[in-house]
Amino acid sequence: MANTCLQLSGFIVSCIGWIGIIVATATNDWVVTCKYGMNTCKKMDELGAKGLWADCVISTALYHCISLTQILELPAYVQTSRALMITASILGLPAVALVLVSMPCINLGNEPESAKNKRSVLGGILILVIAACGIVSTIWFPIGVAHEHGLMSFGFSLYAGWVGSVFCLLGGSLISCCSSDAPAQYAENRYYYSKQGATNPVPPSSANHAKSAHV
């Protein structure tokens, strides 16, 4: 029962984390940049927002974005972050499906419990891979921007990626740790030993007393 509750909790947490990864991938508010220095940008009321797909200019009366369509001319950190976040978003679908069909309340025919455990472990590993992709992307991207531009602050998309990566890491760990064949093996061994004990009954105590008296 405890493993079932932990597995369900890991599944819910992983779904929330996957949604956070998708939000971070689809939006462009990753970091806020400033080309002229922080004080100058505040006086001019003109900031820049940089994401995976566009560079934006933010001011009181203007919000203009330029799409980053020339893939070969982009810096390596942008291309790598794109690839990792897209991979994490796509892997989330089979990972969630594997964990969902391995729930104790769902039965696919007369399959053994070990098959469910294997699917659950595989789904947990995929979720951990999603977390790793998100962590690498959300850490490498702001570092690359800081070297290339003046990094002023972090944006909403980056926070969504961090939260999603942490949730996927926690959920994947719960699912992988709670999916084990140990309880089934223990029950099978206990049944074997009890059956073996029934076939070899203990001799009656009267015979033992008689043997002791004879000695």
Side-chain angles (χ1 to χ4, degrees), residues 116-127:
K116 278 190 173 185
N117 292 330
K118 291 177 181 178
R119 283 201 305 268
S120 183
V121 170
L122 180 58
I125 292 174
L126 288 178
I127 293 172

Side-chain angles (χ1 to χ4, degrees), residues 118-150:
K118 291 177 181 178
R119 283 201 305 268
S120 183
V121 170
L122 180 58
I125 292 174
L126 288 178
I127 293 172
L128 291 176
V129 172
I130 294 171
C133 292
I135 290 172
V136 172
S137 300
T138 54
I139 291 177
W140 192 3
F141 190 88
I143 292 175
V145 174
H147 285 292
E148 188 178 4
H149 303 285

Side-chain angles (χ1 to χ4, degrees), residues 5-133:
C5 294
L6 290 176
Q7 187 177 7
L8 180 60
S9 301
F11 174 72
I12 295 173
V13 171
S14 299
C15 288
I16 297 173
W18 180 39
I19 293 173
I21 293 290
I22 294 175
V23 170
T25 306
T27 53
N28 289 309
D29 190 16
W30 277 56
V31 293
V32 178
T33 59
C34 179
K35 296 181 180 180
Y36 311 106
M38 187 179 299
N39 295 328
T40 306
C41 288
K42 287 182 178 179
K43 291 178 181 179
M44 295 175 61
D45 192 19
E46 183 177 329
L47 298 174
K50 189 175 181 63
L52 298 178
W53 312 103
D55 287 342
C56 301
V57 177
I58 306 172
S59 64
T60 304
L62 178 65
Y63 187 87
H64 177 67
C65 293
I66 301 175
S67 300
L68 303 176
T69 56
Q70 298 177 351
I71 299 177
L72 299 178
E73 296 180 4
L74 294 175
Y77 70 90
V78 177
Q79 297 184 22
T80 306
S81 299
R82 274 187 181 183
L84 290 175
M85 294 300 287
I86 292 173
T87 302
S89 300
I90 294 174
L91 283 179
L93 186 60
V96 169
L98 284 171
V99 177
L100 182 62
V101 297
S102 64
M103 290 291 174
C105 57
I106 298 177
N107 294 320
L108 301 178
N110 295 324
E111 63 177 359
E113 191 67 24
S114 60
K116 278 190 173 185
N117 292 330
K118 291 177 181 178
R119 283 201 305 268
S120 183
V121 170
L122 180 58
I125 292 174
L126 288 178
I127 293 172
L128 291 176
V129 172
I130 294 171
C133 292

Side-chain angles (χ1 to χ4, degrees), residues 184-198:
Q185 291 178 354
Y186 173 74
E188 183 179 356
N189 292 335
R190 184 176 59 180
Y191 172 76
Y192 171 75
Y193 286 125
S194 62
K195 185 177 180 181
Q196 187 180 24

